[in-house]
Each structure stands twice: as structure tokens, then as C-alpha cells.
Amino acid sequence: KKARGEAFAFRADTRDAGAIKAMFDETERRYGAVTDLVCNAGVNGGKHAFADLPIETMRELLEINVLGY
């Protein structure tokens, strides 16, 4: 509160290069060049035991949570 900063939310699929470009374009339109970045992407596998996750779900979790796409 003391800093009185400003922020906005932009929902983007990190697997979609066009969505990421749109996010940066909108950020630069609002604030100018991006100089700092906080990455906050993540998904979970739902209500499954880790050992019971289908391989495709596991692959998706790793791609999004570890690689960011």
C-alpha cells in the first residue's frame, strides 16, 4: 500500500507464443519497456495420487510447471 504501485492481470496460456506476445505488447503499451518479471504459471493434476496420473497429464504438468509451456 505504501508504494502505491499499479498492477494488472493478463491471463495467458504459456504454451501459446501469440498469447505471450500479446501479454508483453499490452504491458508495454500500459507501462513502457518490461524491466522486471514475476512468473506465476502453474497447474495441478486434479484429485489423483501422483502415481496414478496418466502419462499425458504428467507430461502436461511438467511442461507447464517446470518448462513454462
Side-chain angles (χ1 to χ4, degrees):
K1 271 185 161 176
K2 287 183 180 181
R4 296 183 184 253
E6 183 180 332
F8 78 102
F10 191 101
R11 186 175 179 151
D13 185 338
T14 59
R15 298 169 292 183
D16 180 350
I20 298 304
K21 181 175 182 335
M23 179 180 63
F24 274 89
D25 289 347
E26 178 62 16
T27 302
E28 289 178 348
R29 184 188 73 73
R30 289 177 182 230
Y31 304 112
V34 175
T35 58
D36 297 300
L37 182 65
V38 175
C39 297
N40 188 22
V43 296
N44 64 40
K47 296 183 178 185
H48 300 284
F50 185 76
D52 295 334
L53 289 174
I55 190 67
E56 287 307 314
T57 301
M58 177 58 67
R59 185 179 321 275
E60 181 180 39
L61 291 173
L62 289 171
E63 287 176 350
I64 294 170
N65 295 338
V66 176
L67 302 174
Y69 59 85

